[in-house]
Amino acid sequence: MIGSRNPHPACGTGILLGLVMWAGVVAAPGGSAAPFTARATDGDRKPGFPNVHQGEEGSRLQSLDLAGIIHWQHARVDSSLGTAEVSEWRRFRFGFNAQFLDHFRFRGRVNLDPEGEQFYRSLSQTYLSFSPHGNRKEDVERFRIAAGKIKPRFSAEHRISPKRLKTFERSLLANQLAPAKTTTFLVGGSRGAFDGALSILAGGLSREFSGFSSGALALASVGYAPSPGWRLGMD
């Protein structure tokens, strides 16, 4: 992304350089990739991460996969008013996904800081989910019970995975209003074009799992998606 910070070129030109790095590459949904981005997936599609274990039918551990995301950004501005340059590791997460005992899925991620005083920062999404229909993605979407540190289902923009963003970052409004990842109990599912979920979130914040001594928050969401890529919802 390149643009001028001054409407008069004689007064100087500002240059903003954004670099987004992901582990693994895959095209965006529909076969079109967003500008300046390469994407990696996790969950059921993992072109960028190795499959550690793929169990046979009837085995206790059906699948074990490595997963993660690396997102680094750099900005530099040169103008008649001065020069500024900043770099930031926006996201640096690694972990694994597991499917086991025919009905369970586990997702675990840790936030890391390669340039900080402490390499380990905190737990990111880390939770266990159960579905009576099975542990494939479509089974879990049909009905699930989950517990752990879960990203809140708040607003359409905040639901989008950072690996699917077509911009460098979500809007400031979405980041400010969305609840933080905290200990959560969730029940959700879908039927036809309708989906919904009810979550109970712990009021306290912690690098790992927070307790409910500081209170709790209830969050409900309902949605209607008549076609892929289109959803009307309310949280």
Side-chain angles (χ1 to χ4, degrees):
M1 177 178 178
I2 301 175
S4 173
R5 295 178 60 89
N6 193 311
H8 306 289
C11 296
T13 301
I15 298 177
L16 175 64
L17 173 64
L19 298 177
V20 180
M21 299 172 56
W22 308 101
V25 179
V26 66
S32 60
F36 306 108
T37 64
R39 304 181 185 281
T41 65
D42 56 12
D44 290 347
R45 298 183 296 115
K46 306 163 285 293
F49 299 102
N51 178 268
V52 178
H53 172 78
Q54 190 66 44
E56 298 179 355
E57 185 177 356
S59 62
R60 294 183 178 181
L61 179 61
Q62 282 85 55
S63 179
L64 179 64
D65 315 295
L66 299 180
I69 177 174
I70 299 175
H71 180 177
W72 177 79
Q73 53 195 18
H74 176 79
R76 177 180 173 83
V77 176
D78 289 312
S79 73
S80 59
L81 300 178
T83 300
E85 187 172 5
V86 62
S87 298
E88 178 188 17
W89 289 98
R90 184 65 183 86
R91 297 176 180 89
F92 201 99
R93 300 172 187 157
F94 286 97
F96 66 93
N97 304 309
Q99 297 170 243
F100 58 97
L101 297 179
D102 296 324
H103 297 281
F104 292 90
R105 288 173 68 102
F106 178 81
R107 172 189 173 117
R109 304 286 188 277
V110 293
N111 292 313
L112 306 174
D113 186 356
E115 294 182 344
E117 295 182 1
Q118 294 184 338
F119 184 61
Y120 167 76
R121 290 176 53 195
S122 63
L123 279 181
S124 184
Q125 290 202 83
T126 301
Y127 60 89
L128 178 69
S129 59
F130 166 82
S131 173
H133 305 293
N135 56 21
R136 297 174 302 173
K137 185 176 181 179
E138 54 268 29
D139 298 328
V140 175
E141 290 178 347
R142 185 177 173 189
F143 179 79
R144 66 193 176 282
I145 301 172
K149 196 170 188 179
I150 304 175
K151 178 181 177 180
R153 299 173 60 84
F154 181 83
S155 79
E157 182 179 3
H158 197 256
R159 290 167 185 259
I160 300 175
S161 167
K163 295 185 290 293
R164 294 286 182 259
L165 289 175
K166 293 184 179 297
T167 57
F168 289 118
E169 188 53 81
R170 298 185 184 94
S171 68
L172 181 61
L173 181 63
N175 283 334
Q176 289 293 327
L177 294 180
K181 296 172 186 173
T182 184
T183 303
T184 301
F185 294 96
L186 179 147
V187 177
S190 62
R191 184 179 181 87
F194 294 91
D195 66 84
L198 175 64
S199 304
I200 305 297
L201 293 73
L205 298 178
S206 172
R207 294 207 307 170
E208 282 77 37
F209 297 103
S210 52
F212 288 82
S213 58
S214 299
L217 170 69
L219 179 62
S221 65
V222 292
Y224 174 67
S227 61
W230 194 94
R231 181 181 184 274
L232 177 66
M234 181 175 65
D235 302 312

